[in-house]
Every structure is written in structure tokens, then in C-alpha cells.
Amino acid sequence: EELLPKIDDFLLIVSLGSRTRTACVGWEAVGSRQITSYYRGELEFPTGDTEPSYRDGLVDVNDFREFVTTAYSTFLAQPERDPIRGAIHALVPGKGHALEHRFLSLFAALEMLLLDFRRRNSLELIMNEEDWRALKVSCRKLIKEQTRATIDAPRRSWMYTKLDELNRVPLRIALDALCTQYHIELTDLWPLFVEGRREIGLADIRNMIIHGEPFVDRCLDAVMVATEPVSYTH
């Protein structure tokens, strides 16, 4: 019970470098009078035929020992490891996932990493809750005054439900701050966020899938292409 979580984390780093799902399925102990075999049946394990092969991994075989040593020690130094675990699981999935599911899994893992960064750097809310409550009261009054003659009370209440979004730091701002702090360059990738209506960002594709917009064949091709930039952004 003490060793298996550590083994799982180590093999997770191995999976990232090799781009091949790797897991500990159990253990066998041999003593002077008995042999004990234990199979971890409560988990789902990779089949061993995930793609690409070990030789086509993220890290060259000759550099693999250095990568694992550096990456694993860095992983252990992180105070919050769950976002990293989630990101790696999304980057190295098992087979059988639909294209849209693969894209959404990668985007969700990216948001998990950003959420951890936001919390550690006070980038969740723009104003503290007390100040925001006072401003929200003023916003509600202004909305009521300006829309009294144009919309009814139920529709006005729908606008009130969106007010709290105004006090949240935009995801785009958090991403820019993370890239600046860790010197990450993403300009050569399909951008997550774009301005204007002539282009579409990865976040727009995510929203289209989430909100159930139907995809024609050419859009599915775009999702297929877009999946790679999300992976590299991790």
C-alpha cells in the first residue's frame, strides 16, 4: 500500500517519455515457505498495444534515463501533483477513444494545470469577495434601470446569473501569465484563443463540442488537426 502509489507515479513519468501507457498490474513475493501473487483488479490497465511504440516516444531512447531522472525528481518536488497526473493521463491515453473525447480530455487536462497555477498565483478572482458583492449590487441596479423598458423580469434575472463571471480572471490571461512565468513559447502552435471572427481558436472548438454543435466532415478534420497542438501545449 505504501509502495504502489510511488511505483504508479514513476511509471506515469515513464509513460510520458515513451508515449506508451505503462502500469504496475500487481506483485509477487517469494518467501521461504510461501509464494504470494497479488493482482490489482480494481484498476484499468493498458493492453500493451498502445501507439506509438516505445521507439517512437517523446524522448529518444539514449536520453531516456536522464529524462526520467530529471522529470521524476521535478514531479516529486511539486506540492500539487494531481493536475500533472491528469495532464499525463490525457496525453498518453489508451486506445478506443473517439476523436472528440480525445480532444476534450486534453483540453480538460490543460485547464486542470491552469487551475492549479491560478490558485497558486491569485489569478482566480479579480476582486475579493467582499468588494465584489458590493459592486454586484450596483451592477444589478444598473441593469434593472437600463433594461426596465426593454426586457421582462425573468430575462433580466438571466443576466444576473452571469454577473459572477465578470469577476473571474479570463482563462486567456491566466495562460499568458503561466507562459511568461515559465518561459513557454506557443506562438508556433494553433492558438488557444484568437480575436476576431475570421479565425477560430482551440477554445472555440472545445466550446462547439461541449455545446453540442454538429460537426460536418471538414470540421472533424479540423478537430483531428487541432488535437496535436493541445498535446504540445501541455
Side-chain angles (χ1 to χ4, degrees), residues 1-16 21-27 38 40 42-46 72 75-76 85 88-89:
E1 293 300 322
E2 294 180 1
L3 287 177
L4 284 178
K6 298 178 181 179
I7 294 174
D8 288 339
D9 282 340
F10 176 77
L11 292 180
L12 190 63
I13 300 300
V14 172
S15 298
L16 175 62
R21 289 292 291 273
T22 310
C24 174
V25 300
W27 51 265
Y38 176 76
R40 301 172 71 190
E42 77 280 9
L43 301 176
E44 180 181 358
F45 296 105
Y72 184 58
F75 172 82
L76 293 179
R85 293 187 183 102
I88 296 177
H89 280 305

Side-chain angles (χ1 to χ4, degrees), residues 133-192:
R133 279 195 296 268
L135 179 59
K136 187 163 69 169
V137 171
S138 299
C139 289
R140 289 172 65 98
K141 291 180 179 179
L142 179 62
I143 291 173
K144 185 174 182 178
E145 292 173 359
Q146 295 294 322
T147 63
R148 193 189 306 272
T150 55
I151 61 176
D152 54 25
R155 289 182 176 271
R156 189 178 303 116
S157 67
W158 300 344
M159 299 180 70
Y160 296 156
T161 63
K162 307 287 286 185
L163 281 176
D164 283 329
E165 296 181 19
L166 296 176
N167 193 39
R168 292 190 58 83
V169 177
L171 192 64
R172 179 174 188 167
I173 300 300
L175 177 64
D176 290 343
L178 183 145
C179 292
T180 299
Q181 180 169 322
Y182 292 103
H183 307 290
I184 300 173
E185 180 60 60
L186 300 178
T187 55
D188 58 340
L189 297 178
W190 190 337
L192 265 73

Side-chain angles (χ1 to χ4, degrees), residues 92-157:
V92 195
K95 278 189 172 182
H97 293 296
L99 179 61
E100 295 93 331
H101 182 273
R102 166 80 168 139
F103 181 86
L104 290 178
S105 295
L106 286 167
F107 206 99
L110 177 60
E111 289 186 287
M112 190 185 304
L113 292 172
L114 279 173
L115 178 60
D116 177 62
F117 176 79
R118 288 157 73 105
R119 288 175 173 171
R120 288 188 287 106
N121 292 272
S122 300
L123 287 174
E124 285 192 276
L125 300 178
I126 299 174
M127 301 175 63
N128 64 59
E129 293 185 2
E130 182 178 353
D131 292 339
W132 169 244
R133 279 195 296 268
L135 179 59
K136 187 163 69 169
V137 171
S138 299
C139 289
R140 289 172 65 98
K141 291 180 179 179
L142 179 62
I143 291 173
K144 185 174 182 178
E145 292 173 359
Q146 295 294 322
T147 63
R148 193 189 306 272
T150 55
I151 61 176
D152 54 25
R155 289 182 176 271
R156 189 178 303 116
S157 67

Side-chain angles (χ1 to χ4, degrees), residues 99-100 103 190 205 209 215 218-228:
L99 179 61
E100 295 93 331
F103 181 86
W190 190 337
I205 295 177
I209 298 175
F215 276 83
R218 60 185 178 83
C219 291
L220 288 174
D221 290 340
V223 176
M224 185 179 300
V225 174
T227 301
E228 288 302 315

